[in-house]
Amino acid sequence: MSLGAGDPADPPADALHVSSEVRGPCLLVEADGDLTILTADLLRERVLADMREAAAPPLVVLDVGEVGFCDSSGLNALIILWKAAHRAGGEFVLARLDRRFRTIIERSGLDRHLVSHATAEQALDSLAAH
């Protein structure tokens, strides 16, 4: 499962590439690019579609280590995904937050809800034990 915004031969500056794969009981989603008003819908719809395909309650790790920028629309997409996972009896966590992204999450107060892990592997291990 893989989606990208735009033509890979000529990616726009604000492109976001989203790929996902099933790892054990978890869904690992990797985002690369900017998470903005122009790209948040792509991430949200891709992950929601993948969560609907999950046989069990969704256990989702979103690796944001390659996300360069996140605006309020990106944060809103994260909130929607977190709520959708919890409504379905699952979990949604973040992995590889850089200092800037962590600061955005903390200043918005979302760190009370969005759990983050240093690596995608740590996040997957944590959810697999869920």
Side-chain angles (χ1 to χ4, degrees):
M1 294 179 257
S2 180
L3 278 182
D7 178 8
D10 187 27
D14 59 0
L16 180 71
H17 178 76
V18 179
S19 62
S20 59
E21 66 178 280
V22 175
R23 292 267 203 93
C26 303
L27 174 67
L28 173 61
V29 180
E30 295 174 319
D32 182 356
D34 291 339
L35 187 49
T36 67
I37 191 169
L38 300 173
T39 61
D41 288 349
L42 167 72
L43 176 71
R44 186 186 68 245
E45 294 308 315
R46 176 76 249 156
V47 177
L48 287 173
D50 288 347
M51 286 178 15
R52 283 190 294 271
E53 293 176 11
L59 301 174
V60 182
V61 174
L62 176 59
D63 183 336
V64 294
E66 299 301 320
V67 171
F69 178 75
C70 180
D71 69 8
S72 60
S73 295
L75 291 177
N76 187 53
L78 298 180
I79 293 165
I80 289 168
L81 294 172
W82 179 85
K83 285 181 176 180
H86 280 257
R87 266 195 308 272
E91 189 63 67
F92 176 85
V93 301
L94 301 174
R96 295 197 319 135
L97 286 167
D98 70 9
R99 185 181 53 79
R100 288 177 299 151
F101 207 146
R102 183 175 307 284
T103 300
I104 291 168
I105 297 290
E106 289 170 353
R107 287 189 179 162
S108 68
L110 291 175
D111 59 320
R112 290 185 297 252
H113 304 288
L114 293 174
V115 173
S116 65
H117 296 271
T119 68
E121 291 304 321
Q122 288 175 350
L124 290 165
D125 289 347
S126 171
L127 290 186
H130 182 51

